[in-house]
Amino acid sequence: MEDQTPFGSQENPRSSCATSTNGENLGSSPVLPTEGKQHGSKPRKPPTITPRTFTRFFTPKSSLKRGGRIGASRQALRDITASASNRKRRRTPTKDTIQISREDDEEIVGGSKRRKRKMPDPLDVTPDRSSPLKKLRNQSLEISEDESSDTGTIESRDEAEDPFRRYGRQPKPIERIIGSNYCEGPGRYLRREIGIHGRASKLRFLGRSVGISKDWQQETTNFLTRPEDAHICMNVAVPSDHTIPFCTASCNTNTLIAIGDEDGGVRLLESAKDEKPEFSVAYLAFRPHSNAILDLAFSCDDLLLATASGDQTSQVIDMPTQRATYTLAGHVSSVKQVCFQPGSSNVLASSSRDGSVQIWDLRCKGFDAPVRDIRVSLERSSSDNTRGSAPNKVTWARSVNTIFEAHASRQPVSINAAASGRLAPSFDAPSKTESPGRRGDVSVTALSFLDTGREHLLLTASEANASVKLWDLRTTHNHRRSRATPLSSTRQPDSHNKHRHFGLTSLSLSGDGGRLYTLCRDSTIYAYSTSHLILGHAPELSKSFLNPRRTSGPEREGLGPIYGFRHPKFHATTFYVKSALRPAKDDKSEMLAVGSSDGCAVIFPTDERYMQRSNHQRMPSQDSPFPRRRPPLTRTDSGTGLSTRLEDTIPIYQHGSALIRGHGRELTGLTWTPRGELVTVGDDFAARCWREDGADARDLRMGGEKEGRRWGCGWAEAEKGWDDDDG
């Protein structure tokens, strides 16, 4: 009898804990199974995986049955896990079956190979889905031709479908939607939604037309003015004398506009077409200053009107009573501009020819009387209520922050810089009536707050150069010992460094706060990106930044202009020429209007879809790696425009429309009403209201001078052929 080995002994190989590399068991490893020795046969290997077996394993059996009905859930699962669902091709119908073919896309019929005929792609397309079998791209899909399918055969699919069976009624034919009201009003919403631009008679689809650069005229050629839309400015104190209007401002909550003149008078006009009195008759008039009024600004609720005057003061006027309640006296020269902080009726900013910017808060305690009151005017006028003789009580406001020498030159110009073409800016010399102590001061000609949420940031411009400075009003700048330092200063255009420096006369912020438009003395409108006023990391531009610097710090650099606007009839030869922007509202698009020394206003659409490469002039920059051809030597004509001599390194666009025949002399101030009308003032003693009416404007352009139909009218110019009818 054989000896029985006890269960669990080490001699039993299956009961051992582990085996060594030589077949011996080890206690630190799991038990390895032993294979029985089979003499005369090869060891059994696992089956190989081929693409066919792999596909059959992951293909549901129900999809392999011919003529079987597939449910909605099974169809969705099949589309998701289809082997070729990620191919860049159209998908199969949702109710057709799929037949998996061989990998080589061939089948053997009667001992011969023939290529399978692939069916055309169906019309209904399902979106691409992510598939776990993304790498299997060699399998093709074939539409089953089983007649028992719910959708029928392919031949029946190619037949025309009966509209009564699908819709239950006959579909209406496509109709023309172009009508008399398609150009204006609700028609603009439809054109913006479907991407159509241009006049009704010249509609073009975006991206399919060759002359898309002319579509901007649809926005700018609808303006006109008639004789009843003109107002002749007369002196408030002496009604028989004419006076030149200098500035204008529009109310925010109604259709009234205010006009300031060179004699210190203010008049309100009704700009609405159907309201009384008409635009040609003044609604009311009063005289808050004895010197010229250079700028006007309404508060957000229109209860206060701020003025900037040549008598070195500003007045805050209570509009219900037309009396001054606050006097802002802190400048030692003419006040150039004044504006309210967005959303506030208590905080104001004023800039002066003395080079300083002052911030005023009407909530702070002021003075009951000025520290000194020196009357220099020899004119004795009973209507002048700006001094202590006025019966109403006037509070002399206190400045809460002052920026001295805001745009003064911070470094002297060396001989090398002058030789390289970087000329020193020309400073404004003091006049005979001003203090000699302001010699060297650079006049701050324009200022503007940023949009709501960043209203603590202030932009300023000067007559010295085209650089825009950004200031944080939460920083204290009252120390006259150390010069105030802004957060940043934008770069000047490269063409100015090569030619000469030009100052800025006006600043306009876009409706969304993304663009800043500056009017430059070189007869160019420069556009800046407000997000790049500070290059690099700029938390100061964020609306949630709550850690301002309390004292002046290092000045950072901002991006220069990104593009510009020019027009043959736009020339800014004086600092009285201003600009105004109409924000997009209702069905009216955003547009920028500028005055001109040529006696006409020019309107530019700010929508950047009109800025095509074929519609601007650009020259390579100085840092360009490509060599530039040397310009030929030509004789300089004294009548040649400045824009032709500047070497621009940014795109310059010229798509704008001039409003002609409205004024006979330089057009200086302008403003937009809440309804979208444009009001302009000029040196011809006239104020004009420009209204939008495309049909009437086209009639004035095409009608001619017959029977005096153009007398006293003005209209927007259009390019040749714009008003022609389609033949």
Side-chain angles (χ1 to χ4, degrees):
M1 179 179 296
E2 297 178 0
D3 296 338
Q4 299 289 336
T5 303
F7 180 78
S9 64
Q10 296 181 359
E11 296 179 2
N12 189 358
R14 293 186 178 272
S15 63
S16 61
C17 298
T19 59
S20 64
T21 58
N22 299 327
E24 299 179 358
N25 294 332
L26 299 177
S28 60
S29 302
V31 178
L32 298 177
T34 59
E35 299 181 356
K37 296 182 179 180
Q38 299 180 0
H39 300 281
S41 63
K42 294 182 179 181
R44 190 174 182 178
K45 297 181 180 180
T48 59
I49 299 177
T50 63
R52 183 176 181 181
T53 58
F54 185 81
T55 303
R56 293 187 61 183
F57 180 80
F58 285 99
T59 303
K61 294 182 179 181
S62 60
S63 63
L64 298 176
K65 296 180 180 180
R66 298 179 61 86
R69 184 179 179 87
I70 301 177
S73 59
R74 174 60 63 183
Q75 178 65 32
L77 180 61
R78 186 193 66 183
D79 291 342
I80 294 175
T81 60
S83 60
S85 62
N86 283 335
R87 290 186 179 181
K88 300 301 181 179
R89 57 176 295 178
R90 296 174 178 173
R91 298 291 173 255
T92 59
T94 57
K95 292 185 179 181
D96 290 338
T97 58
I98 301 177
Q99 181 178 357
I100 306 300
S101 63
R102 294 178 54 184
E103 181 182 7
D104 55 358
D105 203 14
E106 296 178 352
E107 64 178 359
I108 302 175
V109 180
S112 62
K113 294 183 179 181
R114 67 177 179 85
R115 180 76 58 178
K116 281 189 176 181
R117 182 175 61 89
K118 295 184 179 181
M119 296 290 103
D121 296 333
L123 296 179
D124 48 343
V125 181
T126 58
D128 294 340
R129 301 182 178 92
S130 177
S131 172
L133 308 178
K134 186 175 182 180
K135 296 183 179 180
L136 297 180
R137 300 182 180 273
N138 296 326
Q139 299 178 1
S140 61
L141 299 179
E142 181 180 301
I143 301 177
S144 176
E145 300 181 359
D146 188 5
E147 296 181 357
S148 61
S149 178
D150 295 340
T151 56
T153 61
I154 300 179
E155 288 78 12
S156 62
R157 181 180 297 273
D158 295 337
E159 296 178 359
E161 185 179 4
D162 189 2
F164 289 98
R165 181 180 301 175
R166 183 172 183 178
Y167 300 102
R169 59 180 176 83
Q170 182 69 27
K172 294 183 178 181
I174 300 177
E175 300 177 356
R176 288 176 60 89
I177 58 177
I178 302 173
S180 58
N181 296 327
Y182 186 71
C183 293
E184 301 176 0
R188 294 185 180 179
Y189 286 119
L190 179 60
R191 298 204 307 273
R192 291 176 184 175
E193 290 294 332
I194 62 180
I196 298 178
H197 313 287
R199 283 199 310 122
S201 60
K202 296 184 179 181
L203 289 181
R204 304 176 179 90
F205 284 89
L206 184 62
R208 297 184 181 180
S209 62
V210 179
I212 192 173
S213 60
K214 295 184 179 180
D215 291 340
W216 53 266
Q217 295 184 93
Q218 177 63 33
E219 308 288 345
T220 60
T221 56
N222 299 328
F223 288 88
L224 78 155
T225 181
R226 296 194 177 276
E228 58 270 17
D229 299 325
H231 175 85
I232 303 301
C233 297
M234 309 299 293
N235 195 328
V236 176
V238 185
S240 59
D241 295 342
H242 291 80
T243 183
I244 297 178
F246 276 178
C247 57
T248 179
S250 174
C251 291
N252 300 307
T253 59
N254 55 72
T255 56
L256 292 176
I257 60 106
I259 297 177
D261 57 44
E262 64 173 348
D263 292 322
V266 175
R267 58 188 48 78
L268 268 65
L269 306 178
E270 177 61 63
S271 62
K273 186 175 182 179
D274 300 329
E275 297 292 337
K276 298 295 182 181
E278 296 180 351
F279 186 82
S280 57
V281 181
Y283 186 81
L284 61 89
F286 55 95
R287 189 185 182 194
H289 292 274
S290 59
N291 205 327
I293 296 179
L294 304 178
D295 192 33
L296 295 171
F298 279 99
S299 61
C300 57
D301 54 4
D302 295 332
L303 296 179
L304 300 178
L305 175 65
T307 63
S309 175
D311 61 4
Q312 305 179 7
T313 64
S314 296
Q315 300 282 350
V316 179
I317 302 170
D318 180 55
M319 290 308 297
T321 60
Q322 295 94 49
R323 292 185 178 273
T325 57
Y326 292 92
T327 298
L328 314 180
H331 296 287
V332 295
S333 186
S334 302
V335 183
K336 303 291 289 185
Q337 194 169 6
V338 63
C339 63
F340 281 91
Q341 190 179 42
S344 176
S345 300
N346 298 310
V347 180
L348 301 91
S350 62
S351 63
S352 174
R353 195 177 178 185
D354 60 6
S356 66
V357 176
Q358 300 208 14
I359 310 301
W360 312 85
D361 194 338
L362 303 182
R363 296 167 296 186
C364 297
K365 184 179 180 181
F367 305 98
D368 295 335
V371 177
R372 59 177 182 177
D373 186 6
I374 303 176
R375 185 181 296 272
V376 297
S377 176
L378 301 178
E379 178 184 0
R380 186 178 185 88
S381 175
S382 60
S383 61
D384 186 6
N385 57 0
T386 61
R387 303 300 177 183
S389 60
N392 61 307
K393 181 180 179 180
V394 178
T395 301
W396 296 74
R398 185 194 301 268
S399 175
V400 297
N401 202 350
T402 304
I403 304 174
F404 296 102
E405 300 179 355
H407 284 260
S409 178
R410 283 164 170 74
Q411 55 184 359
V413 180
S414 61
I415 300 177
N416 296 332
S420 62
R422 301 179 181 271
L423 304 180
S426 58
F427 300 108
D428 181 23
S431 63
K432 297 180 179 180
T433 59
E434 293 174 335
S435 172
R438 63 167 298 269
R439 182 179 300 276
D441 292 340
V442 179
S443 175
V444 181
T445 56
L447 51 83
S448 174
F449 287 95
L450 284 186
D451 54 328
T452 304
R454 299 183 295 180
E455 60 273 2
H456 57 277
L457 298 177
L458 182 68
L459 298 169
T460 60
S462 71
E463 63 178 356
N465 50 46
S467 177
V468 179
K469 295 185 181 296
L470 177 66
W471 306 85
D472 192 341
L473 299 184
R474 297 172 296 182
T475 302
T476 303
H477 299 286
N478 282 330
H479 304 286
R480 198 176 180 90
R481 297 178 181 177
S482 60
R483 184 170 295 170
T485 305
L487 290 177
S488 66
S489 298
T490 62
R491 298 174 182 173
Q492 299 187 46
D494 294 338
S495 58
H496 289 193
N497 295 328
K498 301 174 183 178
H499 187 73
R500 51 159 292 195
H501 291 286
F502 298 89
L504 301 177
T505 67
S506 182
L507 301 177
S508 299
L509 199 66
S510 63
D512 58 356
R515 291 288 183 267
L516 172 68
Y517 302 98
T518 63
L519 194 156
C520 187
R521 281 287 307 277
D522 65 349
S523 303
T524 307
I525 304 293
Y526 291 107
Y528 295 80
S529 173
T530 57
S531 301
H532 300 85
L533 293 175
I534 302 178
L535 294 179
H537 181 58
E540 297 86 355
L541 295 178
S542 175
K543 295 184 179 181
S544 59
F545 182 69
L546 301 177
N547 298 318
R549 63 183 187 185
R550 298 303 177 184
T551 58
S552 298
E555 180 179 355
R556 302 177 62 180
E557 187 180 26
L559 184 67
I562 54 180
Y563 58 86
F565 297 110
R566 286 201 189 110
H567 194 271
K569 293 189 177 181
F570 165 53
H571 296 92
T573 59
T574 65
F575 283 98
Y576 295 102
V577 178
K578 302 296 181 180
S579 65
L581 185 135
R582 182 183 75 176
K585 183 179 180 182
D586 298 333
D587 62 333
K588 299 182 182 298
S589 60
E590 183 178 275
M591 283 189 290
L592 179 69
V594 295
S596 177
S597 300
D598 295 347
C600 63
V602 182
I603 300 178
F604 298 96
T606 60
D607 195 337
E608 295 184 356
R609 67 181 178 179
Y610 300 127
M611 301 177 186
Q612 304 295 327
R613 289 184 178 273
S614 60
N615 198 30
H616 72 264
Q617 301 175 354
R618 183 172 182 175
M619 298 190 65
S621 61
Q622 184 177 4
D623 301 332
S624 176
F626 301 100
R628 293 185 300 175
R629 180 181 299 178
R630 183 177 180 180
L633 297 177
T634 57
R635 184 181 298 274
T636 304
D637 186 8
S638 59
T640 304
L642 177 63
S643 60
T644 60
R645 301 196 300 268
L646 294 177
E647 296 182 6
D648 300 306
T649 58
I650 59 174
I652 300 296
Y653 302 96
Q654 299 187 9
H655 56 277
S657 296
L659 307 183
I660 61 174
R661 298 280 292 267
H663 294 272
R665 295 184 180 180
E666 184 180 41
L667 193 150
T668 54
L670 30 73
T671 186
W672 293 94
T673 67
R675 294 186 179 182
E677 291 92 356
L678 177 65
V679 177
T680 59
V681 296
D683 290 352
D684 56 353
F685 312 111
R688 285 274 187 175
C689 183
W690 301 81
R691 310 184 191 277
E692 280 190 282
D693 193 328
D696 290 349
R698 181 175 181 270
D699 181 69
L700 287 175
R701 288 192 295 266
M702 302 291 292
E705 304 287 349
K706 184 179 179 180
E707 298 179 356
R709 58 187 306 173
R710 285 182 172 180
W711 179 84
C713 298
W715 58 88
E717 271 190 330
E719 291 185 355
K720 185 177 180 181
W722 174 255
D723 294 317
D724 295 343
D725 295 329
D726 292 339

